[in-house]
Amino acid sequence: MKKLLKGGRVVDPSTGRDGQFDVLIEGDRIAKIGKNLPIDGAEVVEIPAGYVIAPGLIDMHVHLREPGQEHKETVATGTMAAVAGGFTAVACMPNTTPINDNANVTSYIVAKAREANLARVYPIGAVSRGSKGELLADIAELREAGCVALSDDGWPVRTALMMRRALEYAGMFGMPVIDHCEDPSLRADGVAHEGCCAGLLGLKGIPAAAESIMAERDILLAELTGSAVHIAHMSARTSLRAVRKGKEAGIRVTSEVTPHHFTLTDDYLNAPIPYDTNTKMNPPLREVADRDSMIAGIADGSIDCIATDHAPHHYDEKKVEFDHAPFGIVGLETAVSLTFDRLVHAGVINMSRMVGLLSTNPARILNIPGGTLAEGALADITILAPDMTVRVAAASMKTRSKNMPFEGWELRGGVAATIVGGRTLFNNPDAGLTV
Amino acid sequence: MSDETLPVATALRHKDLLAISDMTPEEIRLVLDTAEAMKEIGSRTIKKVPALRGKTVVNLFFEPSTRTRTSFEIAEKRLSADTLNIAIASSSVVKGETLADTALTLEAMNPDMIVLRHSSSGAAHLLSRICKSSIINAGDGTHEHPTQALLDAYTIRSRKGGIAGLKVAIVGDLLHSRVLRSNVHLLTKLGAEVWVCGPPTLIPVDIARLGVKVTHRVDEAVEGADVIMLLRIQLERMQGAYFPSLREYFSVFGMTEARVKRAKDDVIIMHPGPMNRGVEIASEVADGPFSVILDQVANGVAVRMAVLYLLAGGVEHHEEAA
């Protein structure tokens, strides 16, 4: 089975390609890339002018909720949302029920992913047993079962000593430790960014320093141990300052930012819907200076990845008092459009950098296959339609939960098709091509 | 400048009273003017008018409250509404029902208004999105307590003849106070010069953006003030290390007779209650000649009658228009 993608603009930072190339897919691999490749019995897909052929996008921070919270999401619904959002692979956080802190849970997730047979799923194992921050999880077993990184996401790694040990031990396997940076004493029972908006609305604040203190700590510990630390869902300009300083010093620190943190600010707490629980996330939506700083960090390369922190919650759980609602929003199916609209079309980054943020860099940080259109590589490909008009509608989303504040937004740029291992798993009916 | 020369609205624009921040100065004056008429009803031998006859008002209180709930209930009864009190102890919440489901259940019985007191900021907004009936916010978390600010404004106006140009000093726990937020919005909208004062640990971030002056020196706050308003210090705040001790709080911020002397000769002393004597306010000041604390309570009934009356009219108006 051969398929020839003809006439698209190939953008692949891993090989330095950016231009008009044909892509020949044979089985689950990319067989050849070149100008005017012969058809040679392949099924030809004419790519419309302006469309971009990118290595499959990778979301290194999602919550698939299975096992244990299947009313919010499952591996099957989550990976269906992933391919609809242009992602050929996702890395899922371990805060399931039970926590993914042992090989049984990892194997269960891997089996569910195989059953669903959609986007590739790379589990992230817990740093500590039960993510309690007391004893290390069985990291070698987690790795053996398929985990590619470690995190106690949802909770920070509480003590500096535990973080040090985790970095040292995980470093032996070359696994990065991904930290949800938040000092619990400063965060206390806060529910929104500590700033003018939360103050006015009478919402308990989470200061930016709660995140940055721990980011600073983790970067120091990465320096101490020589291991790699990745700062999850960075939101505060003071954390970015710490990351920049760390990178300048040659410390192995990387970071990601979510689409909502480069798009929204805490003003959304009050308008258009006051106390909208779909504006409640952790880290919280920060103030304008922080949001702008995230954009600047994306532009200058200090930020390595865009990751969604896709956090599905049932509508019952969100239809409560702001104080009582769970943190988080879904993001898999809006990330590409927000990145196009807010970053690419706004002139912040070019197409190649977008692919770097969403594919090349996450593959490199997690040390997983993909993130490249090199000949012989897996045929994980996302075809992007930079000028497609996308109207965000929860009702048409594949994710089981619909919690997000972007309903009705009109954005420029979307996903035309998603190919995983040579199989077309998503074909946007609005894109005007059949892959 | 007197407020009386300024324009007054003829109706409230919204079906609900959720926050002073949503109100225009004209709407605020309309409530205060309407309260004047309501006050007179309270001084009659038969303290009852049929304005809300046939209307059902539910007082839904998820937090213990004596003065606010009593004040609303008396106001409703003086307007001949059918009232129903639901307090947390007897509600379905203990059975695990959500606020949204409680609201829908009540709504199914078609009340005209729901007066809500709740410990979460924004709870009244949640109800207003779910319910067709008018929602009156009787205090939501640390957000707003609009009828308290209206009765405070009424009290100030009746003593001072107006609000614009007055120096108002608000001293106490600003961070956790819904009374503070409502009063800051209201008083700045009506042109008062508002000073807020408390320890830095109890002041909301960026409060100065609301056009108030912030100080940690109580003498500066009360210097030449027309109005001093004290806010309650909740005793459990000491555990949160917001300040070292009640004794120290009183010595640094407590409103004593000596401090009151720095204010204008005709200063009025206000407190939304309940008071902690010897913490935020000395008993001599609370019971002294400048105190209008009981006037506030008395005016609360008239102001709440005005709010109920105007919102009921607003509903009819809305239905006619539709």
Side-chain angles (χ1 to χ4, degrees):
Chain A
M1 181 64 205
K2 294 197 286 186
K3 196 172 268 186
L4 184 62
L5 309 181
K6 253 194 144 14
R9 173 186 169 194
V10 170
V11 177
D12 178 21
S14 81
T15 57
R17 274 201 185 89
D18 186 347
Q20 207 83 14
F21 293 95
D22 295 347
V23 179
L24 179 68
I25 302 168
E26 251 184 71
D28 67 346
R29 299 276 157 178
I30 295 169
K32 207 156 179 53
I33 297 203
K35 304 263 184 199
N36 305 314
L37 294 181
I39 293 170
D40 192 22
E43 175 197 337
V44 175
V45 180
E46 293 285 348
I47 307 295
Y51 280 29
V52 168
I53 300 176
L57 308 185
I58 299 167
D59 187 348
M60 68 178 291
H61 192 144
V62 304
H63 299 270
L64 296 179
R65 304 299 189 204
E66 193 175 2
Q69 299 150 30
E70 290 83 356
H71 65 292
K72 299 178 195 245
E73 191 81 288
T74 64
V75 172
T77 58
T79 51
M80 196 179 296
V83 295
F87 293 98
T88 56
V90 296
C92 59
M93 285 295 173
N95 59 338
T96 45
T97 316
I99 302 268
N100 183 15
D101 64 355
N102 65 77
N104 288 333
V105 178
T106 309
S107 304
Y108 181 84
I109 295 167
V110 169
K112 285 288 169 184
R114 193 175 300 128
E115 217 172 89
N117 203 15
L118 294 161
R120 298 178 202 277
V121 175
Y122 295 101
I124 295 169
V127 169
S128 60
R129 270 167 223 239
S131 287
K132 287 189 165 70
E134 290 159 4
L135 299 166
L136 284 177
D138 292 326
I139 292 172
E141 277 185 32
L142 287 169
R143 179 175 169 72
E144 187 66 24
C147 288
V148 296
L150 300 167
S151 180
D152 278 347
D153 187 53
W155 304 276
V157 178
R158 211 166 268 253
T159 68
L161 180 64
M162 173 56 75
M163 189 62 180
R164 176 196 180 162
R165 298 280 187 255
L167 284 166
E168 285 173 331
Y169 197 83
M172 166 168 73
F173 304 105
M175 294 166 92
V177 177
I178 302 172
D179 204 15
H180 166 125
C181 293
E182 180 177 54
D183 180 272
S185 68
L186 276 178
R187 177 247 169 118
D189 49 0
V191 295
H193 172 62
E194 185 177 294
C196 185
C197 298
L200 272 183
L201 292 170
L203 295 172
K204 293 198 185 82
I206 305 174
E211 175 182 288
S212 308
I213 275 184
M214 203 164 275
E216 294 270 14
R217 179 200 80 174
D218 288 353
I219 293 165
L220 284 168
L221 292 171
E223 180 175 35
L224 175 69
T225 59
S227 297
V229 72
H230 179 79
I231 310 298
H233 45 50
M234 186 163 61
S235 67
R237 58 191 190 272
T238 40
S239 307
L240 178 60
R241 187 174 66 197
V243 166
R244 281 187 177 134
K245 242 174 27 191
K247 287 191 176 220
E248 274 164 27
I251 299 166
R252 297 175 65 196
V253 55
T254 52
S255 64
E256 72 195 22
V257 168
T258 70
H260 46 274
H261 286 112
F262 69 65
T263 303
L264 305 174
T265 62
D266 60 351
D267 292 322
Y268 282 82
L269 295 167
N270 191 37
I273 306 169
Y275 299 97
D276 183 359
T277 54
N278 285 329
T279 61
K280 181 177 176 182
M281 46 280 270
N282 193 10
L285 296 175
R286 302 277 181 200
E287 57 203 50
V288 173
D290 290 304
R291 193 265 319 265
D292 291 350
S293 167
M294 292 306 110
I295 293 173
I298 288 170
D300 71 16
S302 333
I303 290 163
D304 301 272
C305 308
I306 292 170
T308 65
D309 194 8
H310 178 79
H313 292 293
H314 193 269
Y315 75 83
D316 277 346
E317 296 165 314
K318 281 286 196 180
K319 198 179 169 187
V320 295
E321 301 87 320
F322 196 91
D323 285 343
H324 301 159
F327 293 97
I329 60 170
V330 295
L332 280 167
E333 292 165 87
T334 44
V336 163
S337 294
L338 287 167
T339 305
F340 266 124
D341 195 273
R342 297 303 155 119
L343 300 179
V344 178
H345 295 311
V348 175
I349 54 172
N350 61 22
M351 200 57 234
S352 165
R353 177 90 181 114
M354 173 174 171
V355 174
L357 287 158
L358 282 163
S359 178
T360 329
N361 296 348
R364 174 176 49 83
I365 290 165
L366 295 178
N367 194 23
I368 56 177
T372 179
L373 293 178
E375 289 176 2
L378 283 171
D380 287 4
I381 299 171
T382 303
I383 302 176
L384 299 164
D387 295 307
M388 175 192 282
T389 300
V390 173
R391 180 175 275 277
V392 180
S396 60
M397 287 189 174
K398 308 292 183 201
T399 171
R400 179 162 283 182
S401 295
K402 314 293 178 193
N403 50 306
M404 52 112 199
F406 302 114
E407 183 70 24
W409 282 40
E410 206 171 274
L411 300 167
R412 181 174 156 213
V415 178
T418 309
I419 301 168
V420 180
R423 298 175 303 137
T424 302
L425 296 181
F426 174 71
N427 209 154
N428 191 333
D430 299 335
L433 88 166
T434 308
V435 183
Chain B
M1 185 173 78
S2 161
D3 302 326
E4 315 310 328
T5 55
L6 296 166
V8 167
T10 53
L12 299 178
R13 293 169 303 144
H14 303 294
K15 79 171 173 75
D16 309 308
L17 177 62
L18 301 180
I20 299 291
S21 64
D22 299 335
M23 296 180 83
T24 62
E26 292 74 27
E27 287 180 302
I28 293 166
R29 282 189 208 100
L30 172 65
V31 173
L32 301 184
D33 291 349
T34 310
E36 298 283 358
M38 295 298 169
K39 181 131 198 210
E40 184 270 323
I41 296 169
S43 61
R44 293 180 193 170
T45 330
I46 296 172
K47 304 181 183 62
K48 208 172 180 80
V49 292
L52 292 192
R53 197 165 59 194
K55 301 274 185 197
T56 308
V57 183
V58 177
N59 299 316
L60 182 57
F61 277 62
F62 289 90
E63 267 187 348
S65 155
T66 309
R67 72 189 62 217
T68 303
R69 213 214 59 210
T70 312
S71 179
F72 266 108
E73 194 175 347
I74 291 177
E76 290 151 9
K77 294 205 152 109
R78 285 190 182 162
L79 293 173
S80 306
D82 297 317
T83 70
L84 178 73
N85 293 309
I86 303 175
I88 182 149
S90 60
S91 79
S92 304
V93 171
V94 289
K95 299 174 202 156
E97 188 174 70
T98 64
L99 175 61
D101 280 340
T102 303
L104 286 171
T105 305
L106 289 174
E107 184 73 1
M109 294 181 252
N110 200 21
D112 297 283
M113 295 190 219
I114 298 174
V115 178
L116 178 74
R117 160 68 64 92
H118 198 283
S119 59
S120 286
S121 301
H125 288 79
L126 177 64
L127 238 64
S128 95
R129 285 199 285 274
I130 293 171
C131 298
K132 283 204 293 291
S133 40
S134 288
I135 307 300
I136 299 174
N137 183 3
D140 63 324
T142 56
H143 174 228
E144 281 220 35
H145 190 354
T147 57
Q148 177 70 43
L150 288 164
L151 74 88
D152 290 341
Y154 182 90
T155 306
I156 296 170
R157 202 172 77 158
S158 62
R159 288 291 179 134
K160 301 286 177 191
I163 286 172
L166 296 181
K167 177 174 178 179
V168 181
I170 307 179
V171 185
D173 178 353
L174 312 172
L175 182 64
H176 301 97
S177 176
R178 50 193 171 212
V179 175
L180 179 269
R181 287 170 179 77
S182 286
N183 261 304
V184 164
H185 284 299
L186 192 154
L187 294 169
T188 53
K189 277 175 199 232
L190 293 194
E193 178 193 343
V194 181
W195 286 70
V196 299
C197 178
T201 48
L202 289 174
I203 295 184
V205 180
D206 281 348
I207 182 94
R209 279 208 217 173
L210 291 182
V212 300
K213 298 198 171 68
V214 182
T215 178
H216 308 305
R217 290 175 40 228
V218 70
D219 286 349
E220 187 185 12
V222 301
E223 189 71 44
D226 299 282
V227 177
I228 298 173
M229 187 182 291
L230 288 324
L231 298 175
R232 177 180 165 79
I233 293 295
Q234 287 176 345
L235 305 183
E236 64 267 24
R237 298 297 173 214
M238 237 168 38
Q239 267 72 51
Y242 289 98
F243 54 89
S245 68
L246 295 175
R247 194 172 146 271
E248 176 154 323
Y249 181 87
F250 183 70
S251 79
V252 181
F253 295 101
M255 196 51 58
T256 57
E257 285 182 298
R259 284 179 175 143
V260 171
K261 285 206 173 75
R262 293 180 167 271
K264 288 230 175 87
D265 291 343
D266 62 346
V267 66
I268 57 172
I269 308 289
M270 306 178 75
H271 194 303
M275 280 186 286
N276 292 306
R277 291 166 178 264
V279 180
E280 67 266 9
I281 188 168
S283 284
E284 294 75 18
V285 174
D287 305 328
F290 305 116
S291 170
V292 297
I293 293 169
L294 292 176
D295 288 14
Q296 290 173 268
V297 178
N299 293 336
V301 175
V303 164
R304 289 176 175 121
M305 286 169 75
V307 167
L308 290 158
Y309 173 79
L310 290 167
L311 287 178
V315 170
E316 270 171 17
H317 186 74
H318 182 75
E319 279 172 357
E320 281 162 19

